[in-house]
């Protein structure tokens, strides 16, 4: 049986792995859910189609402007110049933005 590897989220030694791809180590379903936004793009068997919304959520989590063409077009980021002097203004917007704000 393979040795324990550190959980991708909390570094707790574990022998458990992603239930989709069986590659990424997670100590619990809580840790797997916490990392899902990032891992869904790499998982070999995510259980559903990866969408532009998944890519957008990862970009928001990383506090960056979406660079993938379809995501930029789908959500209107093609109207924002990609060669901004810095992404600072976008990062400030994301830091202040809340899913519950309207």
């Amino acid at each position: 049986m393979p040795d324990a590897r550190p959980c991708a989220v909390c570094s707790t030694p574990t022998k458990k792995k992603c239930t989709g791809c069986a590659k990424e180590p997670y100590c619990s379903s809580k840790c797997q859910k916490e990392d899902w936004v990032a891992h869904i793009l790499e998982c070999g068997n995510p259980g559903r189609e990866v969408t532009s919304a998944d890519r957008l959520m990862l970009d928001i989590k990383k506090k960056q402007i979406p660079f993938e063409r379809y995501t930029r077009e789908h959500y209107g980021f093609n109207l924002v110049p990609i060669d901004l002097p810095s992404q600072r203004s976008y990062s400030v917007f994301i830091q202040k933005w809340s899913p519950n704000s309207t």
Side-chain angles (χ1 to χ4, degrees), residues 31-102:
C31 282
Q32 186 173 5
K33 287 175 185 174
E34 186 175 328
D35 192 46
W36 186 242
V37 170
H39 182 62
I40 190 171
L41 300 177
E42 300 168 353
C43 186
N45 185 19
R48 65 173 176 80
E49 182 180 347
V50 176
T51 67
S52 60
D54 297 316
R55 290 180 179 88
L56 179 62
M57 284 304 299
L58 180 58
D59 289 332
I60 289 171
K61 184 176 181 178
K62 290 181 175 181
K63 298 180 178 9
Q64 68 184 23
I65 293 174
F67 288 98
E68 194 267 325
R69 186 181 66 84
Y70 181 74
T71 302
R72 287 179 55 79
E73 291 173 359
H74 193 98
Y75 293 98
F77 285 93
N78 57 328
L79 303 175
V80 177
I82 220 167
D83 59 343
L84 295 173
S86 78
Q87 291 186 11
R88 187 168 189 271
S89 59
Y90 181 74
S91 294
V92 169
F93 167 77
I94 292 298
Q95 290 169 354
K96 291 180 180 179
W97 180 80
S98 162
N100 298 325
S101 66
T102 54

Side-chain angles (χ1 to χ4, degrees), residues 10-24:
C10 69
S11 300
T12 301
T14 183
K15 293 183 181 182
K16 297 177 185 177
K17 298 175 185 170
C18 170
T19 54
C21 67
K23 293 180 181 177
E24 194 72 12

